[in-house]
Amino acid sequence: MSRAERKADHIRHALVTGQMREHGFEDVMFVHQSLPNTSVKNINLETNIGTMNVKTPMFINAMTGGGGDKTYAINKQLASVANECGLPIALGSQMSAIKDQSEVNTYKVVREVNRNGIIFANLGSEATSEQALRAVDMVGANALQVHLNVIQELVMPEGDRNFINAIKRIEEIVKVLQVPVIVKETGFGISKEAATLLKEVGVSIIDVSGFGGTNFSKIENERRQHPMSYFNDWGITTAAAIAEVKHGAPTTSIISSGGIQSAMDIAKSIALGASAVGMAGFLLSVLMNDGEEQLLNEIKLIHEDLTYIMVALGAETIPDLQKSKIVIKGNTHHWLNERGIS
Ligand code: FNR
């Protein structure tokens, strides 16, 4: 199967098997405040992702990589939505374009359509610093995402089997690049131990990409004759992963992702310590099922809903929302207790 066919397969399976809603946010409750002392017009959604200032805490997370007309069309539509709504957008893995020049246009189109927007380049942790420089240059990216996807690779029959020295390559990439490096998971969550290692090599932004949304074990298992189903329930929920990273690397800028579908998921992510939130599978499914107009509408509604939630909490800014009062119950409480995270 070609890389383009495999990517199309991913999209098809992501839409069917993804978005499980087991991200742990059901265990996070806001404490109602009867005297919020603010109004809708005072709410400001601006935030910082590391040193990048952005108008809204939500962005379009990495999705479609590889070549082909379908990928090109999806990237063009996502870029147009990002441009219209002022959302940062991450590219899918650019490794295919680094190896095959004919695929470069699939990525360049995102910069062409979204001239002044914030774009994150994307490569896996197998990338060298020289490849990282090329990925950033390819689209004039404002940051580079380096993704970690051990479980997906193991479940993929043709996937990598050697994960030695990923942290060394990340350290080298951080040293060489002029733009910030975001290290992200791909739906299995970052632990406090991994976060500490990343912090030690100079990574300043971590995207937890936790369990509970798109599930790459399930997606890859759909294509296997003998499924490795023991990985289907594997991973740290998004809610727990935010707390893990905050504990393991307290000064990093935290991005929440993994199953984010609503303003309430965003608000809870921020209250747990994130400063921004990436959405992948959900936005893709709205785009594929209902089209670009409906996706624009959905993003507008999420911004409105987030504003109302912030009014109810009396949180006028994202830093205020980070300080809002929450109670954690159920499995997430148990997990954090067992892990010595308060
Ligand atoms: C992804 N994701 C991803 N991540 C990455 O860093 N590079 C990539 O190339 C891809 N490709 C990709 C394709 C498709 C079809 C999907 C749905 C997702 C992972 C994505 O960025 C995110 O980490 C996870 O999907 C979890 O978030 P959601 O989907 O639950 O919001």
Side-chain angles (χ1 to χ4, degrees):
M1 185 182 279
S2 75
R3 189 182 275 265
E5 280 167 344
R6 201 175 79 219
K7 295 289 173 181
D9 233 32
H10 277 168
I11 293 170
R12 213 169 26 250
H13 289 312
L15 296 178
V16 178
T17 56
Q19 303 306 312
M20 299 145 54
R21 307 291 295 166
E22 292 171 28
H23 43 33
F25 291 120
E26 62 286 357
D27 291 335
V28 181
M29 309 288 293
F30 280 113
V31 179
H32 171 62
Q33 302 297 336
S34 306
L35 294 166
N37 199 35
T38 192
S39 91
V40 164
K41 71 173 180 21
N42 289 350
I43 302 302
N44 180 352
L45 297 182
E46 201 176 308
T47 190
N48 293 316
I49 305 175
T51 51
M52 290 173 284
N53 182 260
V54 286
K55 281 191 286 185
T56 149
M58 77 185 263
F59 71 90
I60 303 173
N61 217 346
M63 277 182 277
T64 42
D69 293 346
K70 195 170 174 194
T71 311
Y72 180 89
I74 293 174
N75 278 351
K76 195 170 173 191
Q77 282 179 304
L78 290 174
S80 154
V81 168
N83 185 50
E84 182 109 352
C85 304
L87 303 186
I89 177 169
L91 304 177
S93 176
Q94 290 160 266
M95 194 54 95
S96 60
I98 284 182
K99 293 187 172 156
D100 176 356
Q101 183 66 20
S102 72
E103 293 191 3
V104 164
N105 284 341
T106 316
Y107 302 94
K108 277 197 164 162
V109 69
V110 175
R111 180 50 90 201
E112 281 156 19
V113 173
N114 185 24
R115 288 233 164 264
N116 302 313
I118 292 187
I119 296 179
F120 303 150
N122 186 292
L123 284 175
S125 59
E126 74 282 8
T128 62
S129 53
E130 189 262 332
Q131 289 170 329
L133 282 168
R134 284 171 60 195
V136 169
D137 276 357
M138 195 185 293
V139 290
N142 305 79
L144 171 75
Q145 290 182 328
V146 177
H147 66 257
L148 310 175
N149 66 343
V150 171
I151 302 296
Q152 182 187 6
E153 293 291 345
L154 288 176
V155 182
M156 257 196 282
E158 68 278 33
D160 286 345
R161 295 290 178 265
N162 176 351
F163 306 99
I164 295 171
N165 281 341
I167 194 76
K168 284 217 170 109
R169 285 188 294 275
I170 291 171
E171 181 173 24
E172 190 56 32
I173 289 172
V174 172
K175 274 196 196 132
V176 167
L177 251 55
Q178 304 282 339
V179 296
V181 175
I182 303 168
V183 174
K184 73 183 285 286
E185 244 294 339
T186 43
F188 298 92
I190 303 249
S191 67
K192 62 179 181 181
E193 294 82 7
T196 303
L197 284 175
L198 292 168
K199 174 78 195 137
E200 279 169 7
V201 300
V203 172
S204 57
I205 309 168
I206 297 177
D207 178 342
V208 306
S209 196
F211 179 88
T214 303
N215 184 326
F216 272 101
S217 173
K218 282 195 178 169
I219 291 171
E220 297 297 348
N221 270 326
E222 294 275 331
R223 306 192 297 125
R224 278 188 78 96
Q225 245 178 345
H226 303 290
M228 297 161 76
S229 41
Y230 46 86
F231 279 133
N232 288 355
D233 303 319
W234 182 284
I236 307 168
T237 65
T238 302
I242 299 169
E244 291 261 346
V245 174
K246 197 175 167 192
H247 190 89
T251 54
T252 50
S253 183
I254 302 173
I255 294 172
S256 162
S257 75
I260 306 295
Q261 293 196 7
S262 69
M264 187 54 85
D265 294 342
I266 297 177
K268 288 180 176 179
S269 293
I270 294 169
L272 282 165
S275 49
V277 173
M279 297 168 81
F282 175 68
L283 298 183
L284 184 64
S285 71
V286 175
L287 179 67
M288 303 296 274
N289 295 329
D290 307 313
E292 198 174 319
E293 271 309 303
Q294 189 49 38
L295 182 55
L296 287 169
N297 199 33
E298 189 70 43
I299 292 167
K300 188 167 149 266
L301 288 174
I302 290 175
H303 282 141
E304 271 177 32
D305 289 342
L306 184 59
T307 303
Y308 292 135
I309 293 167
M310 288 170 72
V311 169
L313 292 166
E316 294 185 341
T317 64
I318 298 300
D320 289 346
L321 185 55
Q322 284 174 325
K323 288 183 228 118
S324 56
K325 305 287 178 232
I326 51 172
V327 171
I328 299 176
K329 60 187 178 76
N331 288 341
T332 309
H333 180 265
H334 183 76
W335 176 283
L336 299 183
N337 226 14
E338 285 284 308
R339 296 275 291 150
I341 299 169
S342 52

